[in-house]
Amino acid sequence: MAEAVALIGCKGPAQESEYRQILAAAMPEERLVPFRVMDAGERAAARVAIVANPDPAEVAALPGLVWVQSLWAGVEKLVGAFDRPLPIVRLVDREMARTMAEAVLAWTYYLQRDMPAYARQQSERVWRSHAYRKPVDVTIGLLGLGALGSEAAARLLDAGFPVIGWSRSPKAVARVETYHGADGLPAMLGRCDILVCLVPLTTETRGLVNAARLAALKPGAALINFARGPIVVTGDLIAALDGGRLAHAVLDVFDVEPLPADSALWSHPGVTVLPHVSGPTDMASAAATVAANLRSYRKTGAPPQGVDAARGY
Ligand code: NAP
């Protein structure tokens, strides 16, 4: 019998069956078996695991694993989680980048066209116009110029917004003025009308958007966090909103998800809460990407490029 590919960490049997069906259709040459039903021989022989939110003990129970394919783009929960240094391949998928870029543009328009203010006014039956700001007068700063940030930049530029961006290493992105490293950040922040967070969560980016950095944005700026909750210091964000320094925050990600019912963010007038929906994994597209990774591995014997464990992404 052909060696099985393990499927680990789906949220319940319904999700497991859905993911398995879609993945299996994209790779009919592979035998995809959920970890929980693998027998001892299959567990011993498995070289590849496709994981959603895996229990590290299940990964540890596959001693012959050569690499792990994540179904998500963000892998902060996987880096350092396993009993041995396994290559972790994160999901880099065109459809996810397209969806995320669409979300960045949609919520940028929401802020540029003053929708939070008009929604508030409607609830108070207030008829008042706000001065129109052209896209060309609203500078968008992107924290992160990777697979998602660079696609978002292209979409924003096409819509007429000036885009500036920040990365860890120097980066050339067409029509984007770029900054890099800790030293490059202050100069970029001072130019931002809207700051969009698309960096991975690592030891370096945890708490990155704090009081000082929020204060460095243009007065009345807004924040969009579509990356991970702990990158923004929630208390500092609420203080910046309450103090009027920051006009609004659109948050898709939180320290704890689902956002607890008693969180002050739910009812804050300066906050839009989204339930982690900005860049969902499209399973059909993800399955094609994963299948291509597996085929390349079967052909060459070399695992696809994994994340850099030391960098954390
Ligand atoms: P990526 O391709 O790895 O790009 C990450 C970018 O962040 C790179 O430009 C990188 O710089 C930069 N970066 C990393 N650490 C940095 C640091 N310390 N200082 C400055 N820049 C730093 O990742 P991606 O695919 O674009 O995804 C980004 C994140 O989005 C994911 O990690 C995930 O957390 C989040 N996400 C959220 C959702 C959602 O639904 N809310 C969906 C998908 C992904 P270099 O270019 O120099 O490497």
Side-chain angles (χ1 to χ4, degrees), residues 209-212 214-215 221 223 232-249 251 264-265 268-271:
V209 181
N210 59 15
L214 290 167
L223 172 75
V232 176
V233 181
T234 304
D236 291 0
L237 172 68
I238 291 175
L241 290 163
D242 289 345
R245 197 73 186 66
L246 197 69
H248 200 83
L251 307 176
L265 295 171
H268 197 291
V271 176

Side-chain angles (χ1 to χ4, degrees), residues 90 145-148 166-169 171 204 226 252 278-279 313:
R90 66 188 200 93
L145 290 169
L148 303 184
W166 183 69
S167 52
R168 191 166 170 274
S169 54
K171 204 128 212 200
E204 280 184 22
F226 284 172
D252 185 45
S278 55
Y313 73 100

Side-chain angles (χ1 to χ4, degrees), residues 10 41 43 52 62-63 68 73 87 90 93 98-99 119 122 125 136 141 183 185 225 244 255 258 280 301:
C10 297
R43 289 183 185 186
L62 302 175
V68 167
R90 66 188 200 93
D93 184 62
R98 189 202 64 75
T99 317
Q122 182 172 350
R125 296 169 187 257
V136 71
D183 296 347
L185 190 54
N225 185 10
D255 292 342

Side-chain angles (χ1 to χ4, degrees), residues 10-199:
C10 297
K11 222 189 288 162
Q15 190 183 71
E16 182 182 273
S17 145
E18 181 200 340
Y19 286 8
R20 187 183 174 200
Q21 218 172 358
I22 299 171
L23 287 160
M27 49 185 101
E29 70 278 22
E30 295 287 349
R31 207 161 57 82
L32 190 62
V33 182
F35 171 82
R36 60 183 182 83
V37 297
M38 286 176 112
D39 63 29
E42 286 171 329
R43 289 183 185 186
R47 284 182 289 169
V48 185
I50 300 174
V51 305
N53 300 313
D55 175 349
E58 297 189 347
V59 173
L62 302 175
L65 272 191
V66 177
W67 59 283
V68 167
Q69 168 73 58
S70 170
L71 290 173
W72 319 138
V75 291
E76 72 280 355
K77 288 190 183 140
L78 303 186
V79 174
F82 303 137
D83 59 331
R84 67 217 117 122
L86 275 172
I88 298 164
V89 179
R90 66 188 200 93
L91 185 67
V92 180
D93 184 62
R94 286 184 60 158
E95 180 55 18
M96 175 181 284
R98 189 202 64 75
T99 317
M100 178 60 90
E102 177 185 83
V104 170
L105 181 61
W107 294 99
T108 294
Y109 276 140
Y110 171 79
L111 296 165
Q112 174 240 344
R113 294 304 302 249
D114 294 313
M115 292 192 216
Y118 290 123
R120 250 190 323 271
Q121 286 180 205
Q122 182 172 350
S123 72
E124 295 159 4
R125 296 169 187 257
V126 172
W127 183 275
R128 185 193 304 141
S129 62
H130 297 273
Y132 170 68
R133 292 184 297 166
K134 293 179 185 166
V136 71
D137 295 324
V138 180
T139 298
I140 317 299
L142 291 173
L143 294 177
L145 290 169
L148 303 184
S150 53
E151 187 75 16
R155 202 73 191 265
L156 290 163
L157 286 162
D158 286 349
F161 293 95
V163 178
I164 56 183
W166 183 69
S167 52
R168 191 166 170 274
S169 54
K171 204 128 212 200
V173 181
R175 300 182 289 155
V176 177
E177 253 187 81
T178 56
Y179 298 81
H180 69 272
D183 296 347
L185 190 54
M188 185 183 98
L189 294 177
R191 297 180 57 197
C192 295
D193 292 294
I194 300 175
L195 183 69
V196 180
C197 186
L198 279 174
V199 281

